[in-house]
Amino acid sequence: ASTLGASAAEHGRYFGTAIAAGRLNDGTYTTIAGREFNMVTPENEMKWDATEPSQGNFQYGSADQIVNFATSRGMRVRGHALAWHAQQPSWAQGMSGTALRNAMLNHITQVATHFRGKIHSWDVVNEAFADGGSGGRRDSNLQRTGNDWIEAAFRAARAADPNAKLCYNDYNTDNWNDAKTQGVYRMVQDFKSRGVPIDCVGLQSHFTGGSDYPSNYRTTLSSFAALGVDVQITELDIRNANATAYANTVRDCYAVPRCNGITVWGVRDSDSWRSNESPLLFDGSGNKKQAYNSVLSAL
Ligand code: XIL
């Protein structure tokens, strides 16, 4: 096959990209996105600050634009993200305790209900674990509502959209030996043992191309999968688009049967949140880079 999405589909997988609603009027952008990818993640448009800018006032216009772009082209959508410490609206940032817990649960219920039937997978909770050696939770206003906030979020999402796959998503969870990876692993193991509804784990995989693409990445993917969840690479970008690191990442996913999809975090380098690192598969003019060819031949 001659595109990323078609190649991935031949292996029973998808190949996705982050999409920004503000770029949907750029013909070069939409041409590449529509041709190469068969899964879409809204880059910012489904986050709490975008969808509930004041409490109880829900705004779906930009997110709906992306969902319509995707579904009209037969692409699937990964919802991102229902509960997260970052990109919260200012009204939520100042909340705590029961009021914040209830606001979070209402947010999840409302947003997942609005998009019910249109979302293949939801990042229900994003980035809840701490960096460094503790293996524990990140401190945040949500964490301070009680350690059970993550499972409460997953149960609310399941109730609102029973057919969506529900995922936990994080970064720096790539090296199997890192305490953060182990912490997330133990949470997923606990959720599976207690029947908390979780279907998948997303590894963001924002790599520099150095030691943060670990030689044991495949072990990490297969270890999570062995818990009975699917795994996805959800926000892949690599400093300077190192072609070898891209190919290795893709091959690792393809070696693990339950690694069922890969998403890169943007279309062209100029669209990237790390644009000064040129980390994507297309250059600013929309030309295929060496990394594109290495990914396509690895697929
Ligand atoms: C980033 C977006 O790409 C930027 O446009 C925005 O300013 C900040 O967020 N982890 C995530 C993503 O889960 O939502 C982040 O996206 C990148 C890190």
Side-chain angles (χ1 to χ4, degrees), residues 43-44 47 80 84 87 126-127 169 204 206 235 265 273:
E43 186 173 0
N44 290 296
K47 293 172 182 176
H80 175 80
W84 188 21
Q87 288 179 271
N126 198 30
E127 302 184 350
N169 193 55
Q204 293 182 12
H206 295 292
E235 303 182 15
W265 204 240
W273 72 313

Side-chain angles (χ1 to χ4, degrees), residues 83 124-130 135-138 143 146-155 166-170 173 176 179-203 224 227 229:
V124 177
V125 171
N126 198 30
E127 302 184 350
F129 277 73
R137 299 288 182 84
R138 169 195 299 276
Q143 179 63 29
N147 205 52
D148 62 342
W149 74 277
I150 298 180
E151 60 191 272
F154 275 85
R155 291 188 203 281
L166 304 183
C167 311
Y168 177 79
N169 193 55
D170 215 328
T173 45
W176 178 240
K180 186 172 178 179
T181 310
Q182 292 294 314
V184 174
Y185 178 84
R186 283 192 296 272
M187 178 188 74
V188 175
Q189 188 175 47
D190 171 54
F191 281 10
K192 293 299 286 183
S193 74
R194 291 191 294 112
V196 177
I198 184 170
D199 305 303
C200 31
V201 172
L203 305 188
F224 277 110
L227 293 175
V229 290

